[in-house]
Amino acid sequence: QNCYGHNQVLMTPQQIFDYKRRWMPGNVVTLHSDLESVGKEWCKRQCQKEEWHFKSYTDIYQHSFMFENIKAAQNFEMEFAPYTNQS
């Protein structure tokens, strides 16, 4: 079980896609595009694949990170402040 309450269940790529479709867009946090790689690394360490999604260049110099869980979104936002939600 990860820190956001989900049991770690092995899912196929199709199952992950279908699962994400049910909750997206979820809780969206934008991050400055220069921090893309560290943002993705944080997500990989803190969340399961099915709990987050990345969308590039959703605004000028910004990417969007979408989270199923509000707590994960809040933790991500705090971790990367002041580079989040700048628009």
Side-chain angles (χ1 to χ4, degrees):
Q1 184 171 336
N2 72 9
C3 59
Y4 301 110
H6 279 182
N7 291 320
Q8 292 183 350
V9 177
L10 220 48
M11 296 174 94
T12 67
Q14 182 64 50
Q15 289 171 320
I16 291 171
F17 176 82
D18 292 340
Y19 185 82
K20 285 182 177 185
R21 279 193 8 198
R22 289 195 291 269
W23 63 259
M24 280 177 49
N27 305 284
V28 180
V29 180
T30 60
L31 182 66
H32 193 282
S33 57
D34 288 348
L35 299 174
E36 173 184 346
S37 60
V38 292
K40 286 180 176 179
E41 284 302 314
W42 185 94
C43 291
K44 290 174 185 177
R45 283 193 317 274
Q46 299 295 323
C47 304
Q48 298 298 309
K49 289 179 186 179
E50 67 272 12
E51 297 175 320
W52 68 281
H53 186 75
F54 169 81
K55 195 166 192 175
S56 62
Y57 293 105
T58 52
D59 205 347
I60 299 169
Y61 298 113
Q62 287 187 354
H63 298 314
S64 290
F65 286 81
M66 298 165 222
F67 298 92
E68 176 185 21
N69 185 290
I70 185 78
K71 189 70 174 160
Q74 291 168 340
N75 288 343
F76 183 87
E77 187 173 1
M78 286 190 307
E79 179 76 21
F80 294 103
Y83 304 103
T84 56
N85 298 326
Q86 293 180 330
S87 50

